[in-house]
Amino acid sequence: MIGIILYILFIHFVADFIMQTDEQAKGKSTCNYWLTMHILSYGKTMLFSGVFYVLIMFLYGINLFHLIPLLIGYVTLNMGLHWVTDYFTSRQTKKLWEAKKVHHFFVMIGFDQFIHSVCLIGTYWLLFL
């Protein structure tokens, strides 16, 4: 199970930081369009990685295709939770950055990631265990 949790957290990092465009990163703190575009990109990355995991397991003789509907629900639920979290944290980080409160800015970024991790692990536990 720890392997799956680490996989989820790594894919979250890829989806939340690497796949986020500059426009999304800058715009999500003031514009729900850019926040939603970020969440759609995030969701596509999370869903693709989940399907990829199922396919890799199938190559190793483990059939997890029955979990695809749960995977879709997991990703959809986490997209909603991510949107709500980022709605508040991105607006707060913008204020902190503009006020040049750099330490507090990074504390809020860390708190944002903590909330995302709790959501990802909690919904995994809820849906898959």
Side-chain angles (χ1 to χ4, degrees):
M1 183 170 115
I2 191 71
I4 292 174
I5 297 296
L6 291 174
Y7 181 75
I8 290 169
L9 293 177
F10 176 73
I11 297 304
H12 165 77
F13 163 73
V14 171
D16 202 17
F17 288 96
I18 296 173
M19 300 306 292
Q20 182 172 214
T21 68
D22 197 47
E23 291 96 355
Q24 293 166 1
K26 291 177 181 175
K28 71 181 182 181
S29 63
T30 57
C31 176
N32 289 342
Y33 170 80
W34 288 115
L35 175 58
T36 301
M37 291 300 102
H38 165 56
I39 298 308
L40 290 173
S41 171
Y42 175 85
K44 285 189 289 186
T45 303
M46 294 295 285
L47 185 59
F48 174 81
S49 70
V51 171
F52 178 75
Y53 181 83
V54 168
L55 291 173
I56 293 297
M57 291 297 101
F58 184 73
L59 292 176
Y60 283 96
I62 302 169
N63 185 348
L64 299 176
F65 286 107
H66 64 283
L67 295 178
I68 295 290
L70 277 178
L71 175 63
I72 293 169
Y74 175 79
V75 170
T76 303
L77 180 56
N78 277 287
M79 287 171 66
L81 293 168
H82 197 106
W83 195 97
V84 170
T85 300
D86 276 13
Y87 179 85
F88 292 103
T89 59
S90 67
R91 281 153 175 79
Q92 189 61 37
T93 55
K94 180 177 176 57
K95 290 176 188 176
L96 292 167
W97 185 259
E98 289 173 348
K100 300 193 184 328
K101 295 182 177 180
V102 178
H103 173 74
H104 291 94
F105 168 84
F106 283 107
V107 168
M108 183 57 67
I109 295 286
F111 184 62
D112 170 83
Q113 290 304 300
F114 172 74
I115 293 169
H116 292 322
S117 296
V118 168
C119 290
L120 289 163
I121 294 167
T123 55
Y124 175 78
W125 180 81
L126 179 71
L127 294 174
F128 292 98
L129 299 180

